[in-house]
Amino acid sequence: MKATALAGSNIAFVKYWGALDPEAHLPLNNSISLTLDQANTLVTIEFSPHIGHDVVELEGRMAEGRVRARVVRFLDELRRLGGSGDHARVASKSTFPVATGLASSASLFAAMAVAGLAALGLAPSEREVTTIARLGSGSAARSVCGGWVEWVAGGRHEDSYAYTLRPADWWPLRDIIVIVSEAPKESPSLAGHAAARSSPCFLGRLARAHQHLALVRTAVLTRDLEALGTVGEEEALLLHAVTMTADPPALYWLPATVAVMRQVWQWRREGLPVYFTLDAGANVHVFTTPEHTPQIATSLCAIEGVQRTLVCQPGGAPVPGDVHLF
Amino acid sequence: MKATALAGSNIAFVKYWGALDPEAHLPLNNSISLTLDQANTLVTIEFSPHIGHDVVELEGRMAEGRVRARVVRFLDELRRLGGSGDHARVASKSTFPVATGLASSASLFAAMAVAGLAALGLAPSEREVTTIARLGSGSAARSVCGGWVEWVAGGRHEDSYAYTLRPADWWPLRDIIVIVSEAPKESPSLAGHAAARSSPCFLGRLARAHQHLALVRTAVLTRDLEALGTVGEEEALLLHAVTMTADPPALYWLPATVAVMRQVWQWRREGLPVYFTLDAGANVHVFTTPEHTPQIATSLCAIEGVQRTLVCQPGGAPVPGDVHLF
């Protein structure tokens, strides 16, 4: 009744922003992402009749309030699936700063789904696991799959699932995560999804997302970095255009976020194949080829306000952990 | 045949971004601005049969290329109105950095219109002068009037004019111009207007601008800083949402731009009546009451990347200059 799983975070090239059903995390558009190999969350879950109440320890600290309630709600879902009435103990440990716009809820709930289902002795299909993980966090559906992943919007729970478009070894791209802040962001993503519709940019973004999907699918299948990068930047700027014009507005960027984006554009003007994208946070993902990665990662670290970088390759699906966190 | 005029720049609370007719600078929505008393451009114009070709000296340097062509085209317009075939000499001198998103083309062409018409011995009505200045730069129409100014979109040249909603002494607000860059911006406003329609945010912004107009008109008439400031910020963020999602995208912000915006929001959380707005550039306008101005201006100067501030009060209509620039 105890199991551990390690799942990678992911970065979206067509974003999920704004929900059809915010409770079930049903999105309004399909999205496409890359699962990452060096931004991971390890989760151990134990269900036991000897545990008196759910114990949720995230990143070494007891979770409280809204965060704990979200995890417990997900445990309830797992218990319902497993026909279990047991309380659980959960612990997580990530290799990257959480709640900073690096999709830590994606890797957390993907790992929780995989570990939790294993702990309950359940073995659903990968497609089913993606829908279950989605109940914890929308983008967690994508982190259940390895490599280049599409999350199909669907319209009801069982139809909103993710699948691997192409596996991790399809295209040796590098994602340099540029960390400009390790502080939890002021506006959580769930509040952002709820506010998104109030932005005058929302419907325009949604229409554009459907065009972007076709472009990104083709870019992945043909390994076209320019096409992928161009859309990835447009999607990032559109997402932030929506957040900063929503009610209430959210400006996730820090000064260094702008410095990194401008530097990427400057490098492109100089001929380097390098592109940025961001989710809802201040930290930036910078994409380039393996050969340009060392030089670009070093130069990024020299930008004022950049704390460190984390170089990722395409990552695989979650794996069982052989050592438990407790 | 020589005349000088001093005109103030202006800052818009409902913005002009995207044109119905980019040649005649006919906008798609009415806009409302405040003319500023400390961000001025002084222009001397002389028409003379003894001048062999148009001589255009802006800010102490001979204008060239696109910039010179724009001024000469405006001189052609003035000559047409005055039935003159004379070439002209023009000189300008501003009290603030030009081409940095502080509406220097507004004060330049407002002063050129006033000085040029005087030099030609013409005395059209203020309304006519606003339409003439508009041919040089859209927002110059607003700088022909003092105080709180509305520019009526109209739909053809003679109907697209500006008028004073309330005079400069109506409301003793302060505009602290926060200069984070004196370098000319990379994307000129004219290119931005042309690209605006390609943004998926454009139509949403336009619809919102019409709601904002009613709110800002009322805010000015009732001296409601909270209402004015709230809309001024929304309009700024919407304008930048459009520019950064247009094709090609333009990111006018610098790291310090973000730092200033975030600081203004922090001050508001602390209870201070302070708001920002920006036009298409990196520099920021920070609005507050006279009593809070010294403290806020000092604190703004301490933000990394802020070069200096320029404190403005509401300004009047252009005035004739008694000393010529040449």
Side-chain angles (χ1 to χ4, degrees), chain A residues 34-75:
Chain A
L34 176 64
T35 299
L36 304 172
D37 77 332
Q38 295 295 321
N40 296 303
T41 301
L42 188 70
V43 169
T44 298
I45 300 187
E46 179 180 19
F47 289 95
S48 164
H50 305 300
I51 300 176
H53 63 279
D54 290 328
V55 178
V56 180
E57 187 189 317
L58 303 180
E59 308 302 315
R61 292 166 61 167
M62 283 302 157
E64 290 171 358
R66 200 172 41 76
V67 175
R68 182 178 186 279
R70 189 172 170 190
V71 171
V72 168
R73 199 180 135 218
F74 190 68
L75 291 171

Short mmCIF file of all heavy atoms in Angstrom, two decimals, chain A residues 34-75:
data_model
loop_
_atom_site.label_atom_id
_atom_site.label_comp_id
_atom_site.label_asym_id
_atom_site.label_seq_id
_atom_site.Cartn_x
_atom_site.Cartn_y
_atom_site.Cartn_z
N LEU A 34 6.30 19.59 -23.95
CA LEU A 34 7.44 18.68 -23.87
C LEU A 34 7.66 18.33 -22.40
O LEU A 34 7.77 19.23 -21.56
CB LEU A 34 8.69 19.36 -24.44
CG LEU A 34 10.00 18.56 -24.34
CD1 LEU A 34 9.93 17.28 -25.17
CD2 LEU A 34 11.19 19.41 -24.78
N THR A 35 7.74 17.04 -22.12
CA THR A 35 8.06 16.61 -20.77
C THR A 35 9.57 16.75 -20.56
O THR A 35 10.36 16.48 -21.47
CB THR A 35 7.59 15.16 -20.55
OG1 THR A 35 6.17 15.13 -20.74
CG2 THR A 35 7.93 14.66 -19.16
N LEU A 36 9.96 17.21 -19.36
CA LEU A 36 11.36 17.57 -19.10
C LEU A 36 12.04 16.54 -18.21
O LEU A 36 11.41 15.98 -17.30
CB LEU A 36 11.42 18.96 -18.45
CG LEU A 36 10.73 20.06 -19.27
CD1 LEU A 36 10.66 21.35 -18.47
CD2 LEU A 36 11.45 20.26 -20.60
N ASP A 37 13.34 16.33 -18.45
CA ASP A 37 14.02 15.25 -17.72
C ASP A 37 14.70 15.70 -16.43
O ASP A 37 15.04 14.87 -15.60
CB ASP A 37 15.04 14.55 -18.63
CG ASP A 37 16.31 15.36 -18.81
OD1 ASP A 37 16.23 16.61 -18.72
OD2 ASP A 37 17.38 14.77 -19.05
N GLN A 38 14.92 17.01 -16.27
CA GLN A 38 15.68 17.47 -15.08
C GLN A 38 14.86 18.34 -14.14
O GLN A 38 15.41 18.93 -13.21
CB GLN A 38 16.93 18.25 -15.52
CG GLN A 38 17.95 17.41 -16.26
CD GLN A 38 18.57 16.33 -15.40
OE1 GLN A 38 18.84 16.53 -14.23
NE2 GLN A 38 18.78 15.14 -15.98
N ALA A 39 13.57 18.46 -14.40
CA ALA A 39 12.69 19.21 -13.49
C ALA A 39 11.64 18.22 -13.02
O ALA A 39 10.57 18.10 -13.60
CB ALA A 39 12.07 20.40 -14.21
N ASN A 40 11.98 17.50 -11.96
CA ASN A 40 11.19 16.35 -11.54
C ASN A 40 10.58 16.53 -10.16
O ASN A 40 11.11 17.28 -9.34
CB ASN A 40 12.09 15.11 -11.45
CG ASN A 40 12.65 14.73 -12.79
OD1 ASN A 40 11.90 14.49 -13.72
ND2 ASN A 40 13.97 14.69 -12.88
N THR A 41 9.52 15.78 -9.94
CA THR A 41 8.98 15.66 -8.58
C THR A 41 8.86 14.18 -8.23
O THR A 41 8.33 13.39 -9.00
CB THR A 41 7.61 16.35 -8.48
OG1 THR A 41 7.77 17.73 -8.82
CG2 THR A 41 7.06 16.24 -7.05
N LEU A 42 9.41 13.83 -7.06
CA LEU A 42 9.34 12.47 -6.53
C LEU A 42 8.23 12.47 -5.49
O LEU A 42 8.19 13.35 -4.62
CB LEU A 42 10.68 12.12 -5.88
CG LEU A 42 10.90 10.68 -5.43
CD1 LEU A 42 11.03 9.73 -6.63
CD2 LEU A 42 12.15 10.59 -4.56
N VAL A 43 7.31 11.49 -5.58
CA VAL A 43 6.19 11.42 -4.64
C VAL A 43 6.09 10.01 -4.08
O VAL A 43 6.15 9.03 -4.83
CB VAL A 43 4.86 11.79 -5.32
CG1 VAL A 43 3.67 11.45 -4.41
CG2 VAL A 43 4.83 13.26 -5.69
N THR A 44 5.97 9.93 -2.77
CA THR A 44 5.64 8.65 -2.13
C THR A 44 4.26 8.76 -1.50
O THR A 44 3.95 9.78 -0.86
CB THR A 44 6.68 8.31 -1.03
OG1 THR A 44 7.97 8.18 -1.63
CG2 THR A 44 6.31 7.01 -0.31
N ILE A 45 3.42 7.75 -1.73
CA ILE A 45 2.09 7.72 -1.13
C ILE A 45 1.90 6.38 -0.43
O ILE A 45 2.24 5.33 -0.98
CB ILE A 45 0.98 7.89 -2.19
CG1 ILE A 45 1.12 9.22 -2.92
CG2 ILE A 45 -0.40 7.81 -1.53
CD1 ILE A 45 -0.03 9.53 -3.86
N GLU A 46 1.35 6.45 0.75
CA GLU A 46 0.96 5.23 1.45
C GLU A 46 -0.48 5.37 1.91
O GLU A 46 -0.85 6.38 2.52
CB GLU A 46 1.86 5.02 2.68
CG GLU A 46 1.48 3.76 3.45
CD GLU A 46 2.37 3.52 4.68
OE1 GLU A 46 3.03 4.48 5.13
OE2 GLU A 46 2.40 2.38 5.15
N PHE A 47 -1.30 4.39 1.58
CA PHE A 47 -2.65 4.32 2.13
C PHE A 47 -2.62 3.25 3.23
O PHE A 47 -2.07 2.16 3.01
CB PHE A 47 -3.66 3.89 1.05
CG PHE A 47 -3.93 4.96 0.02
CD1 PHE A 47 -3.22 4.97 -1.17
CD2 PHE A 47 -4.89 5.94 0.25
CE1 PHE A 47 -3.46 5.95 -2.12
CE2 PHE A 47 -5.13 6.92 -0.70
CZ PHE A 47 -4.42 6.93 -1.89
N SER A 48 -3.20 3.57 4.36
CA SER A 48 -3.15 2.60 5.46
C SER A 48 -4.29 2.84 6.45
O SER A 48 -4.59 3.99 6.79
CB SER A 48 -1.81 2.70 6.19
OG SER A 48 -1.87 2.04 7.44
N PRO A 49 -4.90 1.76 6.93
CA PRO A 49 -5.93 1.91 7.97
C PRO A 49 -5.34 2.40 9.28
O PRO A 49 -6.07 2.82 10.18
CB PRO A 49 -6.50 0.49 8.11
CG PRO A 49 -5.48 -0.42 7.54
CD PRO A 49 -4.71 0.36 6.52
N HIS A 50 -4.01 2.37 9.39
CA HIS A 50 -3.36 2.82 10.63
C HIS A 50 -3.07 4.32 10.64
O HIS A 50 -2.55 4.84 11.61
CB HIS A 50 -2.06 2.04 10.84
CG HIS A 50 -2.28 0.56 10.84
ND1 HIS A 50 -3.11 -0.09 11.75
CD2 HIS A 50 -1.83 -0.41 10.00
CE1 HIS A 50 -3.14 -1.38 11.49
NE2 HIS A 50 -2.37 -1.61 10.42
N ILE A 51 -3.38 5.00 9.51
CA ILE A 51 -3.14 6.45 9.46
C ILE A 51 -4.46 7.13 9.83
O ILE A 51 -5.50 6.85 9.24
CB ILE A 51 -2.67 6.88 8.05
CG1 ILE A 51 -1.35 6.16 7.71
CG2 ILE A 51 -2.50 8.39 7.98
CD1 ILE A 51 -0.83 6.44 6.30
N GLY A 52 -4.41 7.98 10.84
CA GLY A 52 -5.64 8.56 11.38
C GLY A 52 -6.22 9.68 10.54
O GLY A 52 -7.43 9.92 10.54
N HIS A 53 -5.37 10.41 9.82
CA HIS A 53 -5.85 11.48 8.94
C HIS A 53 -4.80 11.70 7.85
O HIS A 53 -3.63 11.32 8.03
CB HIS A 53 -6.13 12.77 9.72
CG HIS A 53 -4.89 13.34 10.34
ND1 HIS A 53 -4.37 12.87 11.55
CD2 HIS A 53 -4.05 14.33 9.93
CE1 HIS A 53 -3.28 13.55 11.84
NE2 HIS A 53 -3.05 14.43 10.88
N ASP A 54 -5.21 12.32 6.77
CA ASP A 54 -4.28 12.51 5.65
C ASP A 54 -3.12 13.41 6.09
O ASP A 54 -3.33 14.50 6.63
CB ASP A 54 -5.00 13.14 4.45
CG ASP A 54 -5.99 12.15 3.81
OD1 ASP A 54 -5.72 10.93 3.84
OD2 ASP A 54 -7.02 12.62 3.30
N VAL A 55 -1.92 12.93 5.83
CA VAL A 55 -0.71 13.68 6.18
C VAL A 55 -0.03 14.08 4.86
O VAL A 55 0.36 13.22 4.07
CB VAL A 55 0.26 12.82 7.02
CG1 VAL A 55 1.53 13.60 7.33
CG2 VAL A 55 -0.43 12.35 8.29
N VAL A 56 0.06 15.38 4.61
CA VAL A 56 0.56 15.86 3.32
C VAL A 56 1.80 16.70 3.55
O VAL A 56 1.73 17.81 4.10
CB VAL A 56 -0.52 16.70 2.59
CG1 VAL A 56 0.02 17.19 1.25
CG2 VAL A 56 -1.79 15.90 2.40
N GLU A 57 2.95 16.18 3.14
CA GLU A 57 4.22 16.87 3.36
C GLU A 57 4.83 17.19 1.99
O GLU A 57 5.30 16.29 1.31
CB GLU A 57 5.15 15.97 4.17
CG GLU A 57 6.43 16.65 4.60
CD GLU A 57 7.41 15.63 5.20
OE1 GLU A 57 6.99 14.76 5.99
OE2 GLU A 57 8.60 15.71 4.85
N LEU A 58 4.77 18.45 1.59
CA LEU A 58 5.28 18.84 0.27
C LEU A 58 6.60 19.57 0.44
O LEU A 58 6.69 20.53 1.21
CB LEU A 58 4.27 19.74 -0.45
CG LEU A 58 2.86 19.15 -0.66
CD1 LEU A 58 1.96 20.17 -1.38
CD2 LEU A 58 2.91 17.85 -1.44
N GLU A 59 7.59 19.13 -0.25
CA GLU A 59 8.91 19.77 -0.23
C GLU A 59 9.41 19.95 1.21
O GLU A 59 9.98 20.99 1.55
CB GLU A 59 8.85 21.13 -0.95
CG GLU A 59 8.25 21.08 -2.35
CD GLU A 59 8.99 20.12 -3.30
OE1 GLU A 59 10.23 20.16 -3.31
OE2 GLU A 59 8.33 19.34 -4.02
N GLY A 60 9.17 18.94 2.04
CA GLY A 60 9.71 18.96 3.39
C GLY A 60 8.90 19.73 4.41
O GLY A 60 9.31 19.86 5.57
N ARG A 61 7.73 20.27 3.98
CA ARG A 61 6.91 21.03 4.93
C ARG A 61 5.46 20.53 4.89
O ARG A 61 4.95 20.18 3.84
CB ARG A 61 6.94 22.52 4.58
CG ARG A 61 8.31 23.14 4.82
CD ARG A 61 8.42 24.49 4.16
NE ARG A 61 7.44 25.43 4.70
CZ ARG A 61 7.49 26.74 4.48
NH1 ARG A 61 8.44 27.25 3.71
NH2 ARG A 61 6.58 27.52 5.00
N MET A 62 4.83 20.53 6.06
CA MET A 62 3.43 20.13 6.12
C MET A 62 2.59 21.13 5.32
O MET A 62 2.65 22.34 5.57
CB MET A 62 2.94 20.11 7.57
CG MET A 62 3.42 18.89 8.33
SD MET A 62 2.87 17.34 7.53
CE MET A 62 4.12 16.22 8.19
N ALA A 63 1.81 20.62 4.38
CA ALA A 63 0.95 21.50 3.58
C ALA A 63 -0.23 21.95 4.41
O ALA A 63 -0.71 21.23 5.29
CB ALA A 63 0.47 20.76 2.33
N GLU A 64 -0.69 23.16 4.12
CA GLU A 64 -1.81 23.73 4.87
C GLU A 64 -2.81 24.37 3.92
O GLU A 64 -2.50 24.63 2.76
CB GLU A 64 -1.31 24.81 5.85
CG GLU A 64 -0.50 24.25 7.00
CD GLU A 64 0.16 25.35 7.83
OE1 GLU A 64 0.00 26.54 7.47
OE2 GLU A 64 0.83 25.01 8.82
N GLY A 65 -3.97 24.67 4.46
CA GLY A 65 -4.95 25.50 3.76
C GLY A 65 -5.32 24.97 2.39
O GLY A 65 -5.56 23.78 2.19
N ARG A 66 -5.31 25.91 1.44
CA ARG A 66 -5.74 25.66 0.07
C ARG A 66 -4.91 24.56 -0.61
O ARG A 66 -5.43 23.74 -1.35
CB ARG A 66 -5.56 26.99 -0.70
CG ARG A 66 -6.32 27.17 -1.97
CD ARG A 66 -6.15 28.63 -2.46
NE ARG A 66 -4.80 29.15 -2.30
CZ ARG A 66 -3.75 28.85 -3.07
NH1 ARG A 66 -3.90 28.05 -4.10
NH2 ARG A 66 -2.56 29.37 -2.83
N VAL A 67 -3.59 24.57 -0.33
CA VAL A 67 -2.71 23.59 -0.98
C VAL A 67 -3.03 22.18 -0.46
O VAL A 67 -3.19 21.24 -1.23
CB VAL A 67 -1.23 23.96 -0.71
CG1 VAL A 67 -0.31 22.88 -1.27
CG2 VAL A 67 -0.91 25.32 -1.31
N ARG A 68 -3.16 22.06 0.85
CA ARG A 68 -3.48 20.76 1.44
C ARG A 68 -4.85 20.27 0.95
O ARG A 68 -5.01 19.10 0.58
CB ARG A 68 -3.48 20.86 2.96
CG ARG A 68 -3.75 19.52 3.63
CD ARG A 68 -3.73 19.59 5.16
NE ARG A 68 -3.85 18.25 5.71
CZ ARG A 68 -5.01 17.61 5.83
NH1 ARG A 68 -6.13 18.22 5.49
NH2 ARG A 68 -5.04 16.38 6.33
N ALA A 69 -5.82 21.18 0.92
CA ALA A 69 -7.18 20.79 0.51
C ALA A 69 -7.17 20.23 -0.92
O ALA A 69 -7.90 19.29 -1.23
CB ALA A 69 -8.11 21.99 0.60
N ARG A 70 -6.33 20.82 -1.77
CA ARG A 70 -6.27 20.36 -3.16
C ARG A 70 -5.70 18.94 -3.24
O ARG A 70 -6.19 18.12 -4.02
CB ARG A 70 -5.38 21.35 -3.94
CG ARG A 70 -5.39 21.15 -5.43
CD ARG A 70 -4.64 22.30 -6.08
NE ARG A 70 -4.42 22.05 -7.50
CZ ARG A 70 -3.64 22.79 -8.27
NH1 ARG A 70 -3.00 23.84 -7.75
NH2 ARG A 70 -3.49 22.50 -9.56
N VAL A 71 -4.68 18.66 -2.43
CA VAL A 71 -4.08 17.32 -2.43
C VAL A 71 -5.06 16.31 -1.84
O VAL A 71 -5.23 15.20 -2.37
CB VAL A 71 -2.74 17.33 -1.65
CG1 VAL A 71 -2.23 15.91 -1.44
CG2 VAL A 71 -1.72 18.19 -2.38
N VAL A 72 -5.74 16.69 -0.77
CA VAL A 72 -6.70 15.78 -0.13
C VAL A 72 -7.84 15.46 -1.08
O VAL A 72 -8.30 14.31 -1.17
CB VAL A 72 -7.22 16.38 1.20
CG1 VAL A 72 -8.42 15.60 1.73
CG2 VAL A 72 -6.10 16.42 2.23
N ARG A 73 -8.27 16.46 -1.84
CA ARG A 73 -9.34 16.23 -2.81
C ARG A 73 -8.89 15.21 -3.87
O ARG A 73 -9.67 14.36 -4.31
CB ARG A 73 -9.68 17.57 -3.49
CG ARG A 73 -11.04 17.57 -4.15
CD ARG A 73 -11.35 18.92 -4.81
NE ARG A 73 -11.91 18.67 -6.12
CZ ARG A 73 -11.67 19.37 -7.21
NH1 ARG A 73 -10.87 20.42 -7.17
NH2 ARG A 73 -12.23 19.04 -8.35
N PHE A 74 -7.62 15.29 -4.22
CA PHE A 74 -7.09 14.32 -5.19
C PHE A 74 -6.99 12.93 -4.56
O PHE A 74 -7.29 11.92 -5.21
CB PHE A 74 -5.73 14.80 -5.70
CG PHE A 74 -5.21 13.99 -6.86
CD1 PHE A 74 -5.84 14.06 -8.10
CD2 PHE A 74 -4.11 13.16 -6.73
CE1 PHE A 74 -5.37 13.31 -9.17
CE2 PHE A 74 -3.64 12.41 -7.80
CZ PHE A 74 -4.28 12.48 -9.02
N LEU A 75 -6.60 12.88 -3.29
CA LEU A 75 -6.56 11.59 -2.58
C LEU A 75 -7.96 10.98 -2.52
O LEU A 75 -8.14 9.76 -2.68
CB LEU A 75 -6.01 11.78 -1.17
CG LEU A 75 -4.52 12.14 -1.07
CD1 LEU A 75 -4.16 12.52 0.37
CD2 LEU A 75 -3.64 10.97 -1.55
#
